[in-house]
Amino acid sequence: MTHILPDNPKQPLFKVDIPAPDGQPRPLADGIAAKDDVFAGVRAAADILDAQRPDKIITIGGNCIVSLAPFDYLHGVYAARGESLGILWIDTHPDVSIPKDGYPNAHAMILGALLGQPENPLADLRRNPPFAANQVLYIGLQALHDYQARYLDSIGVDYKIQTETFVDNAEIQAFMARFDHVLVHLDIDVLDAKRFHSTYFANPELVGDGSGSGRMTLAELSDILQLISEYGDSVGFTVAEYLPFDEHRLHEMFQKVRILTE
């Protein structure tokens, strides 16, 4: 995973250990798949951050759940300094589901937890107050389920469905100008699976909650990230749901080649 990031010896690396896949189904608890493992991972990440006390955090690997601990932690750090944070949520999906909506995977609940969503068990993992609705800008958001739209509308998140066009540079700059710093959550599934294959929707064997793939090209994403780098002060950056299926398939294939294993 770290291979896709620039080599930077000034940035120490800390790994959150999670149970390795063993081919067995994980139990459902309180409407959340593998709840104990998920909660333990978030708490382990939060413990590392509390011990290290960084001012900036880069998170890579895992699904969208990995933004919970660092974004919550940074919210507390900068609020204590009287400085404001905005969240740029670059994602096909809103990530504001709750267990009663019928989809048990916690990665679909993460932003709701950061916003203090009622009936969201992940909200209990926060160690700082929730973010406000006006601290979020969605980039790349596609069509919503009705229950997702109802929640966002009820708390006043100003969002735009971006099936035809994405939010433009002026909107992103205007949003960032309101805050001292920004947090960037990049879910790789914002990219079009027909053009970029290391994303969830490039694997036809997987099923989600009925939501579709992203529409963004790598060039469009690059332009957006460059804009954020130029005009915003990023203190948190997450790269989530990078799923190199092609490499995984090659790995499985080469395991059956005798010269590589003898």
Side-chain angles (χ1 to χ4, degrees), residues 193-209:
K194 296 176 182 178
R195 305 180 185 209
F196 186 86
H197 298 153
S198 295
T199 173
Y200 183 96
F201 294 95
N203 187 342
E205 299 173 4
L206 300 177
V207 294
D209 65 351

Side-chain angles (χ1 to χ4, degrees), residues 82-242:
E83 299 173 14
S84 58
L85 287 177
I87 299 178
L88 296 162
W89 202 261
I90 308 175
D91 199 335
T92 297
H93 311 110
D95 292 344
V96 293
S97 299
I98 53 176
K100 75 174 185 179
D101 296 324
Y103 185 62
N105 293 329
H107 67 89
M109 308 175 191
I110 173 62
L111 185 54
L114 288 167
L115 288 167
Q117 183 181 28
E119 300 183 75
N120 189 323
L122 276 74
D124 294 337
L125 294 171
R126 288 194 341 269
R127 301 182 179 184
N128 296 283
F131 287 84
N134 64 1
Q135 288 176 273
V136 176
L137 177 68
Y138 282 112
I139 302 174
L141 187 66
Q142 300 299 299
L144 304 177
H145 292 303
D146 289 344
Y147 58 83
Q148 296 166 335
R150 282 195 298 271
Y151 172 68
L152 293 176
D153 291 340
S154 71
I155 66 169
V157 173
D158 184 15
Y159 65 91
K160 177 189 296 183
I161 303 302
Q162 297 161 49
T163 303
E164 302 303 325
T165 58
F166 302 118
V167 293
D168 61 30
N169 289 357
E171 292 175 86
I172 296 172
Q173 287 179 244
F175 177 82
M176 292 192 296
R178 294 170 37 214
F179 302 99
D180 297 308
H181 317 282
V182 293
L183 306 173
V184 180
H185 172 91
L186 169 59
D187 182 342
I188 293 295
D189 77 14
V190 77
L191 292 167
D192 189 336
K194 296 176 182 178
R195 305 180 185 209
F196 186 86
H197 298 153
S198 295
T199 173
Y200 183 96
F201 294 95
N203 187 342
E205 299 173 4
L206 300 177
V207 294
D209 65 351
S211 301
S213 172
R215 302 292 184 93
M216 198 175 289
T217 67
L218 197 59
E220 289 169 327
L221 175 59
S222 178
D223 288 344
I224 289 169
L225 295 179
Q226 289 297 312
L227 178 77
I228 294 169
S229 294
E230 183 175 354
Y231 292 98
D233 179 32
S234 301
V235 295
F237 189 91
T238 292
V239 181
E241 306 205 15
Y242 172 63

